[in-house]
Amino acid sequence: MKFMVRGKNIEITDALRDYAEEKVGKVRKYFDYDDVIEAQISLEVERGRHIVEVTLFVDGLILRGEEKRDDMYASIDGVVEKLEGQIRKYKTKIHNKIRADKKEILSNLVDSNKSEEEEESDPRIVRTKKFAIKPMHIEEAVMQMDLLHHDFFVFSNAKTDEVNVVYKRKDGDYGLIEPTF
């Protein structure tokens, strides 16, 4: 398992790094040993709160958890509990998706860079993300959105080969946006 640990407003001691890597490394037991797992661990102190954010990349699947507590070690424990809960909840779906993804061709990257020379009166783009769009079924896209705790998810619809967006509605149901040309 590959770890990337970074800190903001905190010095990452060897003891803290070892603790975070050991605790996050426990999720390994939920996956096959040939699965490539990368963990990005972000430790931050903001206004007295200790924030830990962990993003796991497991053969194309992304799992994310965040925890805010008064103690960094408690935050690490809490985020690992959240990740394990997500994994247990979606274990069958996750394993099926990982196996299916191993058979798929590498996806194209979407470049969503915006020009920094936009006028001040225009809305400012404060963050740009690049991500791979993989062909997947709508149910898989909804699962991925829930795993990331996002309100929407952009994906390539495996049935139509078009870019679609699923989103969570205020009533708890989901919506699907399909393009028409």
Side-chain angles (χ1 to χ4, degrees), residues 107-110 130-134 153-154:
S107 62
N108 296 327
L109 292 177
V110 174
K130 294 181 183 181
F131 60 97
I133 294 185
K134 295 184 175 185
F153 187 77
V154 179

Side-chain angles (χ1 to χ4, degrees), residues 23-33 35 37 56 58 63 80-81 83-89 91-92 94-95 98-99:
K23 289 294 187 173
V24 173
K26 289 183 178 183
V27 302
R28 182 81 170 119
K29 66 185 176 190
Y30 294 101
F31 300 99
D32 295 332
Y33 280 95
D35 291 336
I37 300 177
L56 295 176
V58 186
L63 299 167
V80 170
E81 287 175 19
L83 288 170
E84 287 179 331
Q86 287 179 20
I87 293 167
R88 282 191 299 271
K89 181 177 178 183
K91 187 172 181 184
T92 303
I94 288 171
H95 277 291
I98 290 171
R99 287 194 177 95

Side-chain angles (χ1 to χ4, degrees), residues 104 134-138 140 155-162:
E104 289 183 19
K134 295 184 175 185
M136 63 177 67
H137 295 281
I138 296 169
E140 293 173 60
F155 69 103
S156 174
N157 190 322
K159 288 184 180 179
T160 63
D161 289 326
E162 293 184 1

Side-chain angles (χ1 to χ4, degrees), residues 11-70:
E11 181 181 338
I12 307 294
T13 63
D14 289 339
L16 187 58
R17 178 185 306 278
D18 291 344
Y19 187 82
E21 289 180 1
E22 177 187 339
K23 289 294 187 173
V24 173
K26 289 183 178 183
V27 302
R28 182 81 170 119
K29 66 185 176 190
Y30 294 101
F31 300 99
D32 295 332
Y33 280 95
D34 60 338
D35 291 336
V36 177
I37 300 177
E38 180 181 325
Q40 293 179 354
I41 306 169
S42 173
L43 309 173
E44 179 180 350
V45 177
E46 183 179 290
R47 288 186 249 145
R49 301 291 290 171
H50 296 261
I51 305 164
V52 177
E53 181 180 309
V54 176
T55 305
L56 295 176
F57 300 92
V58 186
D59 284 340
L61 182 71
I62 302 170
L63 299 167
R64 185 180 170 282
E66 182 178 326
E67 186 66 31
K68 299 175 186 178
R69 297 200 183 163
D70 293 331

